[in-house]
Amino acid sequence: QLAIYENGTIDSWDLTGSDSGTLHDAASAEKFADYIKPYLNIMTDCGTDSDECIIDIGYKYLNGSNTSTSDINNINTKSDLYKIILADGSLVWFRTNGNGCTNMGGNEENICAIFYYDINGSTEPNQLGRDLFHFKAKYDRLIPCSEDDCYLNNQGFSCAKYIIEHGNLNYPQTR
């Protein structure tokens, strides 16, 4: 929010990447990072390099199955993901699309970036909805993922939204 307050809304940040219009553009993610890094307490700035800065963690969905989402599985091998280790050991990684604030999938429009935040780094459980949470940056704010999947028998992308709305992690068993 401070980055937006001091620099204007995200849609004014010129996030056009090196290959404009290409989904998941590293140059665009680097530009986005330049705007938000001054407001983070960073221990290690891994950038978009695939240098194994963040160890291979092996995340699971809320239901216990292995993740299949490439943004989660391939943190280090995807050169379009910008990776940061914060001073408290938590992990943040995100991507943009190289074409400003346009839809990047899912049910939300005008998404500028997609974020993952692991509150305790490589420490277990390494599971969506438990210690890994999914957010989206719209042009004027960060919002939790709004997919309706925060059930113990499902993936758990929207559990940050559930926690904000309910104040707990007492997720329902099924939909």
Side-chain angles (χ1 to χ4, degrees), residues 25-151:
D25 185 84
S28 176
E30 290 166 359
K31 288 180 182 181
F32 187 89
D34 288 341
Y35 281 98
I36 66 168
K37 287 189 310 185
Y39 309 97
L40 301 174
N41 190 1
I42 298 172
M43 179 171 52
T44 307
D45 181 351
C46 305
T48 56
D49 292 334
S50 57
D51 63 355
E52 301 294 325
C53 178
I54 296 175
I55 62 169
D56 184 20
I57 294 173
Y59 287 99
K60 296 194 177 290
Y61 289 123
L62 185 59
N63 64 13
S65 64
N66 292 328
T67 58
S68 60
T69 305
S70 62
D71 287 351
I72 299 172
N73 282 350
N74 304 316
I75 300 168
N76 286 311
T77 59
K78 292 192 62 157
S79 62
D80 61 332
L81 294 175
Y82 200 101
K83 301 160 285 281
I84 297 171
I85 302 173
L86 298 177
D88 65 1
S90 61
L91 308 176
V92 174
W93 65 96
F94 58 88
R95 65 176 168 87
T96 60
N97 71 0
N99 198 21
C101 297
T102 58
N103 189 6
M104 293 179 66
N107 57 358
E108 291 286 340
E109 294 182 2
N110 302 317
I111 301 299
C112 305
I114 293 177
F115 278 84
Y116 290 91
Y117 177 59
D118 185 331
I119 63 173
N120 62 348
S122 60
T123 303
E124 291 186 354
N126 299 323
Q127 190 173 22
L128 269 166
R130 298 291 182 205
D131 63 345
L132 178 65
F133 299 95
H134 183 118
F135 296 88
K136 297 178 181 183
K138 293 187 74 99
Y139 74 96
D140 64 345
R141 68 192 179 283
L142 189 68
I143 62 170
C145 179
S146 62
E147 296 173 21
D148 185 21
D149 72 343
C150 190
Y151 301 92

